[in-house]
Amino acid sequence: MYEQLARFFFLIAFTLLFVANLAAHYFSLYWVYPWFDMPMHFLGGFVIALGFHGLPSLVGKIPPSKRTFWLTLLVAFGIGFSWELFEYITARTYELYSEIIILVSLSNTPN
């Protein structure tokens, strides 16, 4: 029963992620609403967690349980948080780099 419920949630979440991503690209939601990226990452991490949670049961090794579910979800949250931190640091670094390039370009232009 629990195994079927996990597969059901995986299919629902995967379908929701797929449709939301298509709509986001079609309507340029990532550019119009910069915050839209974060819930999509959250949903993507949730889909990956559910997929990895159900993977052992597909190969017949370990039946999924509530303990493996929460452990997988915790790992997915950790990876998601690390990814968002990486994006934030990269964006800040790129902004600083862009400002330096602009300043150097402006200082090298003849009056």
Side-chain angles (χ1 to χ4, degrees):
M1 173 69 178
Y2 183 76
E3 195 173 316
Q4 292 171 340
L5 189 60
R7 284 188 195 147
F8 174 74
F9 280 128
F10 172 75
L11 289 175
I12 294 296
F14 182 80
T15 303
L16 181 62
L17 178 66
F18 182 75
V19 170
N21 190 45
L22 285 178
H25 282 285
Y26 183 77
F27 295 111
S28 301
L29 296 179
Y30 291 119
W31 295 271
V32 174
Y33 304 107
W35 55 264
F36 191 72
D37 182 48
M38 291 210 190
M40 291 299 287
H41 280 142
F42 176 80
L43 186 58
F46 185 72
V47 168
I48 290 170
L50 284 175
F52 276 114
H53 176 64
L55 188 63
S57 70
L58 292 177
V59 294
K61 301 279 184 194
I62 305 167
S65 66
K66 289 181 182 178
R67 182 178 179 192
T68 58
F69 174 78
W70 290 112
L71 180 63
T72 305
L73 198 58
L74 181 65
V75 170
F77 277 127
I79 291 170
F81 177 78
S82 300
W83 180 257
E84 290 301 326
L85 185 62
F86 168 76
E87 279 190 337
Y88 176 76
I89 291 170
T90 304
R92 300 298 296 172
T93 304
Y94 181 72
E95 284 176 17
L96 179 61
Y97 179 73
S98 297
E99 290 173 9
I100 291 171
I101 295 296
I102 290 169
L103 289 175
V104 169
S105 298
L106 290 174
S107 67
N108 288 334
T109 56
N111 291 336

